[in-house]
Amino acid sequence: MGSRKKVAVVTGGAGFLGSHLCDRLLKEGCRVFCVDNFITGSEQNIQHLYDNKYFRLIRHDISKEIRMPGPVDYILHFASPASPIDYLLFPIPTLKVGSLGTYNTLGLAKLKKSRYLLASTSEVYGDPQEHPQKETYWGHVNPIGPRGVYDEAKRFAEAMTLAYHRYHRLDTRIVRIFNTYGPRMRIKDGRVVPNFIFQALHHKPLTVYGTGQQTRSFCFYTDLLEGIVRLLGSGYTGPVNIGNPEEFTILQSAKLVLKLSGSKSKIVKKPLPKDDPQQRRPDISLAKRLLKWSPRVSLEKGLAETIEWFKLQKI
């Protein structure tokens, strides 16, 4: 008998990161089930996979119970609104997918004896008072602020994932994702990179909130995917930061987008939103030691590729 293909379930598989993850897992030789309710996902991200016999789309809200036929080797829970515009527009679905969605997918993993990977986020650190942020840092989060619906949903999801690991001995992984960007981002999703690119390509002023001196660390999607695949194949069950430790101010990022796009747009400043983090930079010592992983794509190279992709969308 031939060896069976590994089966992977990707929730949120029609989203920016989820769709790229579906691509990567198919290339790794898996059979992939993409689960999405299309609140923020897009069919355009996965249409190229419809003719692949090893890919299947399941339209489903993972906040409700799901059943899968046959064996499932991997469950990767990526379903969630992931930008401020989205989780402020859908606060309750965001909380539900982080709580009920995590509960349902963990239950499926327990039933199928699957390896489980939770997509968490650097937002669990909130507006951090430790810099850079290590996995051991507990965070500085306003649980009732407007961003709390996302931050606390992910913090709860991590707690539940490790509870299943400790109590049910479930084989779990947790990736804490830092600002990731690249092709397939929604142009108006509210995050800084697509915002700047859209404004630059349409000759609109680039909106910088606050002084622009707040920092972010931007990771290109291909680097992130490599880290996720390595984490999935590792034996480590605790949270792992995957991100690019090279730190840029928001103002520097805006100027780089202007340079790469050739735009003559001006930069305008607006008041900083409530609870917006002042700095964000991952300590990736654990990923380097454990996964032999570090990012390879510079911000300039990654932004150039992302800008070209957005130009082709004619948005």
Side-chain angles (χ1 to χ4, degrees):
M1 291 180 63
S3 60
R4 175 183 65 81
K5 270 185 173 287
K6 298 286 188 182
V7 176
V9 174
V10 180
T11 72
F16 158 51
L17 287 179
S19 63
H20 284 301
L21 187 58
C22 288
D23 288 339
R24 178 64 188 261
L25 291 170
L26 286 164
K27 287 179 181 176
E28 295 286 330
C30 291
R31 182 184 298 273
V32 174
F33 288 86
C34 165
V35 182
D36 209 297
N37 65 353
F38 292 96
I39 281 185
T40 58
S42 170
E43 281 202 67
Q44 184 179 344
N45 291 339
I46 53 172
Q47 278 179 336
H48 64 288
L49 298 175
Y50 285 173
D51 292 333
N52 189 321
K53 66 179 180 179
Y54 298 118
F55 175 83
R56 182 182 167 192
L57 169 63
I58 300 174
R59 294 174 182 270
H60 182 76
D61 179 355
I62 204 65
S63 298
K64 300 173 183 175
E65 184 181 5
I66 185 170
R67 300 186 181 187
M68 299 287 298
V72 175
D73 300 282
Y74 308 116
I75 296 175
L76 301 99
H77 185 29
F78 275 69
S80 178
S83 72
I85 280 181
D86 292 336
Y87 51 74
L88 294 178
L89 187 61
F90 303 110
I92 294 172
T94 299
L95 286 163
K96 287 174 72 174
V97 77
S99 55
L100 297 174
T102 304
Y103 173 73
N104 289 332
T105 48
L106 284 165
L108 181 63
K110 179 174 174 282
L111 176 67
K112 299 289 188 177
K113 296 180 172 58
S114 312
R115 180 169 295 179
Y116 184 89
L117 187 144
L118 172 69
S120 188
T121 170
S122 61
E123 294 293 333
V124 299
Y125 301 123
D127 187 5
Q129 295 177 316
E130 173 182 292
H131 193 72
Q133 296 82 54
K134 295 185 178 72
E135 290 85 354
T136 51
Y137 178 52
W138 291 355
H140 180 228
V141 174
N142 178 359
I144 58 171
R147 299 173 73 102
V149 295
Y150 184 64
D151 301 357
E152 294 297 345
K154 290 296 189 180
R155 286 159 72 94
F156 178 84
E158 286 195 15
M160 180 168 276
T161 298
L162 283 172
Y164 265 72
H165 169 69
R166 294 177 183 124
Y167 189 79
H168 294 299
R169 298 185 180 178
L170 194 68
D171 190 15
T172 60
R173 310 286 184 272
I174 298 173
V175 55
R176 287 182 180 161
I177 298 170
F178 282 69
N179 296 69
T180 304
Y181 69 99
R184 298 186 195 164
M185 294 189 88
R186 286 167 38 238
I187 194 72
K188 294 182 181 180
D189 85 346
R191 284 181 276 194
V192 63
V193 168
N195 263 8
F196 285 165
I197 293 175
F198 176 79
Q199 291 165 342
L201 294 182
H202 289 78
H203 310 292
K204 297 177 182 291
L206 271 63
T207 307
V208 169
Y209 295 96
T211 64
Q213 294 307 306
Q214 64 271 37
T215 64
R216 296 294 183 270
S217 302
F218 299 101
C219 185
F220 196 54
Y221 80 100
T222 54
D223 283 333
L224 177 78
L225 291 175
E226 181 63 30
I228 288 170
V229 168
R230 292 190 188 199
L231 178 59
L232 186 64
S234 77
Y236 191 76
T237 58
V240 178
N241 291 336
I242 299 291
N244 193 323
E246 192 173 5
E247 195 173 7
F248 291 86
T249 68
I250 297 298
L251 205 52
Q252 285 176 320
S253 308
K255 290 177 180 177
L256 187 54
V257 168
L258 290 176
K259 172 189 168 186
L260 295 172
S261 64
S263 173
K264 303 299 183 186
S265 295
K266 304 295 184 184
I267 294 174
V268 298
K269 293 180 180 178
K270 291 189 176 181
L272 194 68
K274 185 176 174 59
D275 299 328
D276 194 64
Q278 288 300 304
Q279 51 190 9
R280 191 65 66 71
R281 176 186 166 200
D283 183 317
I284 61 168
S285 303
L286 182 61
K288 283 182 174 179
R289 184 175 73 252
L290 181 74
L291 309 177
K292 304 297 185 286
W293 176 89
S294 58
R296 296 184 174 184
V297 180
S298 69
L299 182 60
E300 184 160 348
K301 182 179 178 183
L303 278 179
E305 186 173 324
T306 306
I307 288 167
E308 289 308 307
W309 183 84
F310 276 123
K311 283 180 180 178
L312 293 173
Q313 307 314 299
K314 297 181 172 62
I315 298 173

